[in-house]
């Protein structure tokens, strides 16, 4: 596990998420996160809805259709902390809980704790629930008897990792084959630079031109390598005790997203993970979806975004217009915006379209 993280970092797979490398020592050693840590209680929180309304023209990662899980899972973790204080007499300094935000390799520890196995799609997959699980953990100084990893995994941990990733995948390679941007460079290893999830959520700048077509209609995050996994046949409906659904989000039309104002964005996406991309990130992604889907009813809105105050939005709007109509029509529609454009990043998009 230690080796896997360092190999991934050395290859540059973290893109610009430098924070992962900054505390790599903590990620692989919980005693550096909590002094005297002896046990980690790992939680897999199911968010499989069983049935859901069909999405609109833009495709959202399933997790984005819930209130931000960083927030909604916190009360449950706090309750575990209170139990540790009441039952085991711990002080609040003797345990620490995280959901995604801590310097903890969550999949690796969940695998050790027997929650599931790591598939070729890099997801922690439960044999009872599939891969629609958020992970969270409580580190504690308590010595708790450990659960065993799934059969076959224990002997492959700690040095003898070969053959461990995808142990329960057999010959299946569906996730690797289905990835729209070929981001799974080897079993269990996702190169964030190519991953649609990284590009549409974490990348705060311009999305590389060569990846834009692969994004398709995915406006925020990507579930392709999760959706194709046959282990999901065991997925069970979430009791939604801990997660609050926001299925209304996927119903918002692309035209409405492209016309979104800061006020409307704040109102609709309050307490959701989309706060992360901010409005400009969402407009950027919406332009890519409009370009890929050639949504005729969105053309005027995309042309208008070629004059948006954010150069990042303008750059993607230019790209999209050239995908939505033929080159001569696009050049005509963008004439006014281009005549006042001075930003080199946006000018580069015009140049790329005119072949110079
Ligand atoms: C950075 C990050 C990303 C990055 C990089 C993804 C990646 N694969 O590393 C990006 C932005 C691309 C991303 C995307 C997604 N993410 Co994310 N992400 C994280 C985060 C914050 C850190 C992960 C990390 O350290 N990556 C570095 C690599 C090396 O670590 P890893 O994948 O965990 O690697 C393991 C393997 O390398 C393996 N391993 C061990 N030994 C060996 C040996 C060999 C030979 C190999 C090959 C591997 C291997 O063990 C490693 C350690 O666990 C975690 C939260 C956390 N603190 O862990 C969430 C987390 C992994 N993400 C999560 C989710 C839900 C997603 C998305 C599904 C979101 C979406 N729908 O768009 C996608 C899925 C993409 C994918 N297939 O991985 C969940 C996964 C839950 C689960 N059941 O696995 C997590 C755990 C958050 C949470 N608390 O729920 N994510
Ligand atoms: S999340 Fe999407 S882009 Fe990223 S590895 Fe999976 S299928 Fe590929
Ligand atoms: S799709 Fe196939 S190869 Fe990929 S994680 Fe699932 S079982 Fe493994």
């Amino acid at each position: 596990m230690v080796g896997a993280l360092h190999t991934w970092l050395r290859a540059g797979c973290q893109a610009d998420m430098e924070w992962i490398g900054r505390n790599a020592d903590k990620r692989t050693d919980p005693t550096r996160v909590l002094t005297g840590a002896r046990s980690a209680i790992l939680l897999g929180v199911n968010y499989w809805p069983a049935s859901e309304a069909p999405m609109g023209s833009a495709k959202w990662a399933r997790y984005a259709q819930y209130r931000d899980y960083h927030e909604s899972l916190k009360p449950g973790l706090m309750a575990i902390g209170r139990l540790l204080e009441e039952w085991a007499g711990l002080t609040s300094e003797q345990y620490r809980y995280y959901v995604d935000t801590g310097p903890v390799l969550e999949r690796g520890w969940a695998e050790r704790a027997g929650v599931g196995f790591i598939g070729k799609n890099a997801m922690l997959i439960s044999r009872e629930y599939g891969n629609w699980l958020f992970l969270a953990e409580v580190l504690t100084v308590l010595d708790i008897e450990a659960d065993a990893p799934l059969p076959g995994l224990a002997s492959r941990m700690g040095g003898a990792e070969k053959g461990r990733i995808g142990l329960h995948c057999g010959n299946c390679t569906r996730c690797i084959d289905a990835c729209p941007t070929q981001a799974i460079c080897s079993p269990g290893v996702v190169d964030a630079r190519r991953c649609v999830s990284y590009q549409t959520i974490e990348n705060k700048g311009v999305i590389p031109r060569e990846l834009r077509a692969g994004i398709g209609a995915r406006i925020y995050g990507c579930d392709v390598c999760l959706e194709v996994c046959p282990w999901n046949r065991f997925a069970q409906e979430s009791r939604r005790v801990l997660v609050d659904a926001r299925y209304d989000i996927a119903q918002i039309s692309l035209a409405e997203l492209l016309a979104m104002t800061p006020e409307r964005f704040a109102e609709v996406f309050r307490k959701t993970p989309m706060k992360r991309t901010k409005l400009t990130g969402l407009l950027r992604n919406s332009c890519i979806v409009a370009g890929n889907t050639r949504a005729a009813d969105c053309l005027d809105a995309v042309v208008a975004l070629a004059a948006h105050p954010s150069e990042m939005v303008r750059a993607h709007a230019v790209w999209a217009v050239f995908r939505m109509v033929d080159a001569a029509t696009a050049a005509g529609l963008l004439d006014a915006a281009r005549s006042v454009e001075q930003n080199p990043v946006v000018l580069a998009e015009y140049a790329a379209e005119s072949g110079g």
Side-chain angles (χ1 to χ4, degrees), residues 121 123 175-176 178-184 189-192 194-198 214 218 221-226:
N121 59 3
M123 297 300 291
C175 51
I176 297 175
C179 174
T181 48
Q182 296 79 46
I184 307 179
V189 182
V190 170
D191 185 341
R194 296 197 63 84
C195 178
V196 174
S197 178
Y198 167 80
R218 284 169 281 277
C222 173
D223 281 339
V224 173
C225 61
L226 285 75

Side-chain angles (χ1 to χ4, degrees), residues 125-193:
I125 302 174
S126 152
R127 296 194 301 183
E128 289 95 53
Y129 295 98
N131 58 200
W132 304 106
L133 295 177
F134 297 125
L135 299 178
E137 60 281 338
V138 183
L139 307 180
T140 159
V141 299
L142 265 192
D143 236 330
I144 303 175
E145 194 186 334
D147 286 322
L150 296 191
L153 289 176
S155 61
R156 291 175 164 87
M157 285 177 176
E161 285 173 339
K162 199 171 174 327
R164 188 179 121 217
I165 298 300
L167 185 69
H168 297 280
C169 293
N171 293 330
C172 176
T173 56
R174 280 194 210 179
C175 51
I176 297 175
D177 303 338
C179 174
T181 48
Q182 296 79 46
I184 307 179
C185 41
S186 61
V189 182
V190 170
D191 185 341
R193 289 168 296 192

Side-chain angles (χ1 to χ4, degrees), residues 1 4-5 8 17 19-20 27 47 61 63 69 99-100 102 104-108 118 121-124 131 133-136 161 164-165 187-190 192 195 197-198 201-202 221-223 225-226:
M1 197 158 81
L5 175 64
W8 189 78
M17 299 180 289
W19 45 271
I20 301 179
R27 285 177 187 274
Y47 65 100
Y63 89 90
Y69 67 97
V99 46
D100 195 11
V104 179
L105 273 175
E106 293 179 326
R107 288 160 165 167
I118 296 177
N121 59 3
M123 297 300 291
L124 188 286
N131 58 200
L133 295 177
F134 297 125
L135 299 178
E161 285 173 339
R164 188 179 121 217
I165 298 300
V189 182
V190 170
C195 178
S197 178
Y198 167 80
I201 302 172
E202 302 295 336
C222 173
D223 281 339
C225 61
L226 285 75

